[in-house]
Amino acid sequence: MISYILLIISIILVLLGYLVLIITYLLNKTKTKDITAADQVQKILDDGNAINLIEDKDALFSHYNIKRDIVKLKTKTYNSNNIFSLTIATLLSGYSLVKNNILNYISYIFKEIKYFSFIPLITIILSYIVSNSGDSKIAIVIFIVVAIYQYLIYNINTEAIDKVEIDDEDINKILNIINKI
């Protein structure tokens, strides 16, 4: 009985995080600035000799390619000038500015980082599937690995946000929301 209560609480907490992200998007998609997301990336990563931004027409979500050190914005985000798109471009640019070994280690497992993760949903599905003590032992190991990964991503997000040094209050507010989620 207690395991089902904990599972339901976990599902609610994970869905609440995604709901906050969706609400943040909906509230900020109409607020615009004078700069596009692509220009924002170029401004932050002001390196004239490097190719560090690509418009990815096939992407479902914008992301940062760790191995190639490239920000890939989906077409809708690339050409957008709303606050949420600028925030995504800022965060992904911040990943490019982060130069630490943790990001290199993550690149062995995942080739890209998105501004949000589906891993919490996977852990909830795993929690629901587990039915005996053998499965539980394997699931606990997986949960520990996921918790460590989420902690590392949180630290990378925090460092990326600190590196971009954006003075815009709206963008900083959304960056902090994404980091907390």
Side-chain angles (χ1 to χ4, degrees), residues 55-72:
E55 179 182 5
D56 194 352
K57 296 179 180 175
D58 298 329
L60 193 55
F61 299 103
S62 299
H63 59 274
Y64 170 68
N65 188 310
I66 303 169
K67 293 262 186 198
R68 299 176 77 196
D69 193 29
I70 294 175
V71 175
K72 292 185 175 184

Side-chain angles (χ1 to χ4, degrees), residues 140-173:
I140 287 172
V141 171
I142 292 171
F143 292 151
I144 290 170
V145 170
V146 167
I148 292 169
Y149 171 76
Q150 290 296 101
Y151 177 74
L152 295 175
I153 290 297
Y154 173 77
N155 285 335
I156 291 169
N157 281 349
T158 303
E159 188 175 344
I161 291 168
D162 290 341
K163 294 250 184 206
V164 291
E165 299 175 2
I166 296 295
D167 294 331
D168 191 311
E169 186 178 312
D170 293 330
I171 292 175
N172 281 327
K173 185 173 103 178

Side-chain angles (χ1 to χ4, degrees), residues 6 14 16 59 79 87 90 93 97 106 126 149 151 164 180-181:
L6 291 174
V14 168
L16 186 64
N79 298 315
T87 303
T90 302
S93 300
L97 296 174
I106 289 175
L126 185 61
Y149 171 76
Y151 177 74
V164 291
K180 287 177 184 173
I181 291 173

Side-chain angles (χ1 to χ4, degrees), residues 106-166:
I106 289 175
S107 72
Y108 293 124
I109 301 168
F110 300 106
K111 68 177 185 171
E112 58 194 35
I113 296 179
K114 294 178 180 60
Y115 59 94
F116 73 98
S117 175
F118 288 113
I119 290 178
L121 290 177
I122 294 169
T123 58
I124 287 177
I125 292 169
L126 185 61
S127 296
Y128 187 72
I129 293 172
V130 170
S131 61
N132 59 38
S133 65
D135 292 346
S136 297
K137 292 174 186 174
I138 294 170
I140 287 172
V141 171
I142 292 171
F143 292 151
I144 290 170
V145 170
V146 167
I148 292 169
Y149 171 76
Q150 290 296 101
Y151 177 74
L152 295 175
I153 290 297
Y154 173 77
N155 285 335
I156 291 169
N157 281 349
T158 303
E159 188 175 344
I161 291 168
D162 290 341
K163 294 250 184 206
V164 291
E165 299 175 2
I166 296 295

